[in-house]
């Protein structure tokens, strides 16, 4: 977890949002967030039984566990949680609801679900850190964070 935190903090400079979460982010930013998550995933994230995720071989280690389109969708949804953390709004129910939604699909393996959760956390942290570099969150933005989480749930 400490390695993920350090990597996320180091990556914040790579992802300047010029406004608040909910903006369109560039394809380059999506790719960098996915790359950051993947590079820190194996041997660190945990599956549902609590064991550490391990790759079966070098090919799996270099391959994203979910389709790229799904990764972009996860990142998109995580931005609301990053905004909520920036505004000091409770984001955990939103995250838990999102993960429950992904589990109900019954199309993902344990490794894939672990990656979805990991990617959500990385993107959320990057968004929060980028937002903290700008203006402080005010009541209007706090209301927008809560509204965005409700509309994405």
């Amino acid at each position: 977890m400490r390695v993920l935190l350090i990597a996320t903090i180091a990556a914040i400079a790579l992802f300047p949002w010029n406004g608040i979460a909910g903006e369109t982010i560039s394809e380059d930013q999506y790719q960098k967030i996915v790359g950051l998550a993947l590079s820190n995933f194996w041997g660190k994230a945990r599956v549902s039984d609590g064991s550490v995720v391990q790759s079966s071989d070098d090919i799996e280690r270099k391959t994203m566990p979910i389709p790229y389109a799904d990764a972009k969708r996860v990142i998109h949804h995580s931005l609301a949680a990053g905004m909520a953390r920036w505004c000091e709004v409770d984001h955990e129910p939103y995250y838990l609801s999102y993960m429950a939604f992904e589990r109900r699909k019954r199309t993902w393996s344990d490794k894939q679900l672990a990656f979805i959760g990991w990617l959500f956390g990385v993107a959320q942290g990057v968004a929060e850190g980028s937002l903290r570099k700008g203006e402080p969150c005010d009541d209007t933005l706090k209301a927008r964070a809560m509204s965005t989480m409700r509309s994405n749930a």
Side-chain angles (χ1 to χ4, degrees):
M1 187 61 163
R2 182 183 166 108
V3 171
L4 174 63
L5 179 62
I6 292 168
T8 301
I9 291 168
I12 287 170
L14 299 174
F15 306 100
W17 266 271
N18 294 323
I20 59 173
E23 286 186 1
T24 301
I25 64 173
S26 72
E27 186 63 30
D28 184 56
Q29 288 170 317
Y30 276 118
Q31 291 176 7
K32 286 178 180 176
I33 292 169
V34 167
L36 176 64
L38 187 59
S39 70
N40 289 287
F41 175 67
W42 300 105
K44 297 178 184 91
R46 297 189 180 274
V47 292
S48 61
D49 68 4
S51 62
V52 175
V53 178
Q54 298 294 337
S55 61
S56 56
D57 56 35
D58 227 22
I59 293 171
E60 184 181 33
R61 180 173 280 283
K62 294 175 184 172
T63 304
M64 189 167 44
I66 63 174
Y68 184 66
D70 289 302
K72 287 178 72 170
R73 182 180 47 78
V74 171
I75 292 168
H76 172 77
H77 284 280
S78 73
L79 297 180
M83 183 178 182
R85 285 185 54 104
W86 170 56
C87 291
E88 299 179 353
V89 171
D90 185 14
H91 67 285
E92 189 171 354
Y94 173 70
Y95 167 74
L96 294 174
S97 174
Y98 182 79
M99 290 305 296
F101 169 77
E102 292 295 343
R103 279 191 294 280
R104 280 192 305 272
K105 290 181 179 179
R106 299 201 182 277
T107 56
W108 303 121
S109 69
D110 258 2
K111 283 182 185 179
Q112 289 172 314
L113 284 168
F115 184 75
I116 290 168
W118 189 266
L119 177 60
F120 190 105
V122 168
Q124 170 189 307
V126 167
E128 177 190 4
S130 294
L131 291 166
R132 286 195 187 281
K133 289 179 170 182
E135 299 287 323
C137 182
D138 60 22
D139 289 340
T140 302
L141 297 173
K142 188 177 282 193
R144 182 171 175 192
M146 292 186 295
S147 173
T148 301
M149 286 191 297
R150 277 193 303 271
S151 68
N152 283 349

